[in-house]
Amino acid sequence: MTPPPPPTPEQVLSTYGRVADDFARMRNTSLFELPMLQAVQAHAPGRDLLDLGCGPGAPLARWLSWRGFRVTGVDGAAGMLPHFRRSTRGARTLRADMRHLALGRRFDALLAWDSFFHLSLRDQARMFPVFARHARRGAVLVFSSGPARGVAFGRAAGAPIFHASHAPLAYRRMLRQAGFTVLRFSPEDPALDRHSWWLCRRLSRAH
């Protein structure tokens, strides 16, 4: 039997839309991401937060909301947003593809946790100006990636899903060009269930 073709980045939103209920039910809510959330809390200059690829909201946006953040959740998979609204009371929600986002406002913190790395490498590179135009001076940006350049295939509620990452040096270059400085890069962080993650600050205009 011929194996099925590997998942593509173009299928990510439809996959998450299809499995949204199961994903929300199966999502690990043990809050292993707490060190990352505490870093956002410590470094953000204010409490307006944009959650890109927000998913069902629990536990990340819910934790941030409980601690005074005014959360705007954006997801291109419509099925995720009802879960987000239930778990994160009072948050604003918007169905949108992060790649084309233009809200006309800036935030104190941007979070793209386990979402940004579903984009193709080309679309990831195009996201840094999107981050920049939604970040106030001094704002923090947190996103997860892989530890090195490559493509990988995982699962979301049992459905195959695409992941990709640039090399860390490439991310550093794109961040610098968009006016961000890297405060921390932790590849395969043992304190965060082996996630590789970035903590960055917007210091200047793009250059």
Side-chain angles (χ1 to χ4, degrees):
M1 179 180 292
T2 303
T8 69
E10 290 75 22
Q11 295 170 324
V12 167
L13 290 181
S14 62
T15 297
Y16 273 117
R18 187 175 70 253
V19 304
D21 292 345
D22 287 340
F23 184 87
R25 176 176 53 82
M26 299 167 64
R27 172 67 162 90
N28 182 345
T29 57
S30 65
L31 214 62
F32 69 83
E33 305 95 339
L34 185 59
M36 176 273 292
L37 294 170
Q38 291 172 330
V40 173
Q41 184 179 34
H43 290 278
R47 288 297 181 262
D48 287 324
L49 182 138
L50 180 61
D51 189 350
L52 295 166
C54 62
L60 305 187
R62 181 173 63 189
W63 188 94
L64 291 162
S65 179
W66 284 350
R67 279 146 186 85
F69 281 87
R70 297 174 291 275
V71 180
T72 297
V74 174
D75 206 300
M80 290 293 183
L81 296 179
H83 295 284
F84 186 91
R85 286 190 287 268
R86 284 193 293 270
S87 66
T88 315
R89 299 296 175 89
R92 180 189 178 197
T93 59
L94 177 67
R95 184 186 180 185
D97 186 326
M98 71 170 75
R99 296 172 295 181
H100 311 301
L101 200 64
L103 296 182
R105 58 173 295 204
R106 296 178 185 270
F107 296 81
D108 301 301
L110 284 73
L111 181 64
W113 188 260
D114 286 0
S115 57
F116 168 76
F117 64 8
H118 288 309
L119 301 178
S120 69
L121 293 176
R122 177 178 293 183
D123 283 339
Q124 286 187 31
R126 292 171 175 170
M127 274 300 300
F128 289 93
V130 178
F131 292 146
R133 69 173 173 255
H134 290 92
R136 294 189 178 109
R137 183 178 178 87
V140 293
L141 164 66
V142 172
F143 64 95
S144 49
S145 71
R149 181 182 173 90
V151 171
F153 305 107
R155 291 194 172 271
I161 202 92
F162 175 92
H163 303 80
S165 285
H166 286 277
L169 283 177
Y171 281 131
R172 289 181 183 275
R173 183 186 71 251
M174 289 184 278
L175 285 160
R176 183 175 64 252
Q177 290 171 346
F180 290 90
T181 187
V182 177
L183 302 180
R184 178 176 180 177
F185 170 52
S186 297
E188 298 186 324
D189 190 336
L192 274 87
D193 195 34
R194 311 299 300 180
H195 279 60
S196 299
W197 65 290
W198 299 77
L199 174 66
C200 314
R201 188 179 298 282
R202 179 81 194 282
L203 292 183
S204 64
R205 294 181 180 179
H207 61 279

